[in-house]
Amino acid sequence: MTHVQVSNNVTIGILALQGAFAEHQTALQKLSCQKKISVVLVRTAEDLSACDALIIPGGESTTIAFLAKLSGLLEPLRTFLQQKPVWGTCAGAILLAQAVENTKRGGQELLGGISVTIARNGWGSQVESFEAPLSIDGLLDPSTPFMGVFIRAPVVLALHPSTENPPIEVIARLPINLVPKSQKLILNDEGDSSPHDSQSIVALRQGRHMLTTFHPELTKDSRFHEYFVRTCVVPTLL
């Protein structure tokens, strides 16, 4: 079991309109804490109001946004983002972006909250999905790689830091040598692959919010969920 130091009971919501919300619920339930982590599947504004933090799962970002609008959740979600921690995985990462490219015709609603531009399906189609081991210093047992599952994953095109917002902290990058040959090359302006290029970023934090372009919930490794609770959620409860 993974252990988290929590000084109070904490309620973490998972937006449960579409996508891999059940897998996030299972991962959170694996965490062992001094006090209880309660999980709420969020489908209404009333559900959201009970939460100390929120996870927006992978799935289909335009569908999640459409269903959130139908449920009257878009504005409550935007208000929640201004006050409490939110983590978006894959489709959830797209919804947290400041801007998005490669959208469907007509565009899509975004929640914002993280100062990045993201491209949908940046690595290609479903059949071009892949897995890659990631080295991440902030996780428990950092010497053990975390297996990133990339399914129609978005790509971070640009960071937009400003003095008005918290700094952006890169948590994980995809090493160029781990990109499958079938995938698009990551190139900088000079036409070379660069470990510092924004497109190699697969996990980052800005203030209390976090995004991952891959799916931690589709592994049996709950360390990313522990990281979110420990670094993003617990400090807001102290």
Side-chain angles (χ1 to χ4, degrees):
M1 300 285 278
T2 304
H3 291 269
V4 185
Q5 297 297 317
V6 179
S7 57
N8 297 290
N9 292 346
V10 57
T11 300
I12 299 180
I14 306 168
L15 190 62
L17 302 176
Q18 189 265 344
F21 56 86
E23 289 83 353
H24 275 293
Q25 181 178 22
T26 298
L28 287 172
Q29 290 171 342
K30 289 181 181 180
L31 300 182
S32 177
C33 306
Q34 291 181 345
K35 296 192 178 182
K36 183 180 179 182
I37 289 182
S38 299
V39 178
V40 173
L41 297 181
V42 174
R43 296 185 174 96
T44 67
E46 183 178 1
D47 295 336
L48 185 64
S49 67
C51 299
D52 298 306
L54 181 72
I55 297 173
I56 304 176
E60 216 294 320
S61 59
T62 53
T63 300
I64 293 173
F66 176 72
L67 293 175
K69 187 173 184 178
L70 284 182
S71 304
L73 266 171
L74 276 180
E75 290 309 316
L77 284 167
R78 288 171 177 144
T79 300
F80 190 94
L81 268 159
Q82 296 172 8
Q83 302 167 348
K84 297 181 180 181
V86 180
W87 171 22
T89 64
C90 198
I94 294 169
L95 292 171
L96 291 183
Q98 174 180 310
V100 62
E101 296 188 7
N102 196 27
T103 63
K104 291 184 177 180
R105 180 177 297 179
Q108 70 173 81
E109 297 273 7
L110 298 176
L111 301 175
I114 296 183
S115 304
V116 298
T117 296
I118 274 184
R120 294 175 72 253
N121 302 334
W123 293 114
S125 66
Q126 183 91 11
V127 297
E128 294 170 306
S129 301
F130 65 98
E131 298 183 5
L134 305 173
S135 297
I136 305 169
D137 289 339
L139 298 188
L140 297 179
D141 188 17
S143 62
T144 300
F146 190 96
M147 187 58 66
V149 179
F150 296 84
I151 302 174
R152 294 175 59 198
V155 166
V156 177
L157 294 181
L159 308 181
H160 307 292
S162 76
T163 57
E164 298 177 357
N165 296 314
I168 297 172
E169 175 189 352
V170 175
I171 300 171
R173 291 182 180 272
L174 180 65
I176 302 304
N177 65 309
L178 296 183
V179 178
K181 293 181 180 179
S182 62
Q183 305 299 315
K184 301 173 185 177
L185 290 176
I186 300 174
L187 301 177
N188 60 20
D189 292 339
E190 288 71 42
D192 300 318
S193 60
S194 168
H196 303 295
D197 188 79
S198 66
Q199 294 180 67
S200 68
I201 297 170
V202 294
L204 62 80
R205 283 182 59 194
Q206 186 174 28
R208 65 176 75 91
H209 304 319
M210 183 170 81
L211 67 77
T212 53
T213 63
F214 55 96
H215 290 269
E217 75 278 12
L218 297 184
T219 74
K220 295 182 179 180
D221 189 339
S222 59
R223 287 181 295 160
F224 244 101
H225 290 78
E226 186 278 336
Y227 179 88
F228 176 63
V229 174
R230 170 167 49 88
T231 66
C232 296
V233 181
V234 171
T236 68
L237 302 175
L238 300 178

